[in-house]
Amino acid sequence: MNQSALIRPDWTPATIALMVLGFIVFWPLGLAMLAYILFGDKLKAFKKDANDGVNRMCAGFRRNHRSHWAHHHRTGNVAFDDWREAELARLDEERRKLDEMREEFDAYVRELRRAKDQEEFDRFMRERKNGRPAPAPGAEAH
């Protein structure tokens, strides 16, 4: 996440000011800003999980609808209908491969994030063990 953003789910002067202003103008706005500050990072993961679930469900509906359409809406031209069914089967196989590749990539990215988190934690523990003070929260270590 870009930590230099002015408004991010964190206790920054900008988000605190917006929260206070929201409570002054209309209390649900302040409450929404408070929720964003506290849970903003978790909302991205929740949104991604929800979208992935809906995409998987819709992919099943599309496959069922496509196969239903292929069997019930024939044109009368046997050669064209056979070609169309073969193309739809090929496209379904390509979609399946792409879905598998996306799942593999998502797992790869999750592992990269886990490794980065582990490396940052290990660095923190080494610095703490060596007696160096930990950087202040929100400060970027380069």
Side-chain angles (χ1 to χ4, degrees):
M1 172 177 273
N2 181 2
Q3 291 298 317
S4 64
L6 182 63
I7 299 176
R8 60 183 186 272
D10 198 3
W11 293 101
T12 64
T15 55
I16 294 170
L18 285 173
M19 180 184 62
V20 170
L21 185 65
F23 276 116
I24 291 171
V25 173
F26 185 57
W27 69 267
L29 293 176
L31 196 59
M33 192 64 204
L34 178 62
Y36 175 72
I37 291 169
L38 295 174
F39 305 110
D41 288 333
K42 294 176 185 158
L43 292 177
K44 283 186 182 180
F46 173 77
K47 180 181 178 234
K48 184 187 178 314
D49 292 344
N51 284 340
D52 287 347
V54 169
N55 285 342
R56 281 191 297 275
M57 183 177 64
C58 289
F61 289 150
R62 281 192 299 269
R63 264 186 248 113
N64 291 339
H65 182 264
R66 220 178 283 129
S67 63
H68 172 78
W69 184 86
H71 295 299
H72 294 290
H73 298 295
R74 300 186 68 81
T75 64
N77 183 320
V78 175
F80 176 77
D81 290 341
D82 290 345
W83 172 82
R84 184 186 67 219
E85 286 182 23
E87 286 297 302
L88 289 174
R90 183 184 65 78
L91 291 172
D92 280 341
E93 179 63 21
E94 286 295 316
R95 177 176 296 281
R96 186 190 61 73
K97 287 178 184 176
L98 287 172
D99 288 344
E100 287 175 1
M101 198 179 309
R102 186 192 68 226
E103 289 173 7
E104 289 173 13
F105 180 73
D106 288 345
Y108 175 75
V109 169
R110 275 192 307 273
E111 182 59 27
L112 280 179
R113 286 186 185 131
R114 191 205 62 72
K116 181 183 174 214
D117 289 348
Q118 185 66 47
E119 188 273 327
E120 288 174 350
F121 175 73
D122 291 344
R123 182 176 24 158
F124 168 78
M125 292 303 285
R126 277 191 311 271
E127 289 176 2
R128 186 169 181 250
K129 182 180 177 185
N130 293 336
R132 284 188 237 151
E140 292 280 329
H142 294 281

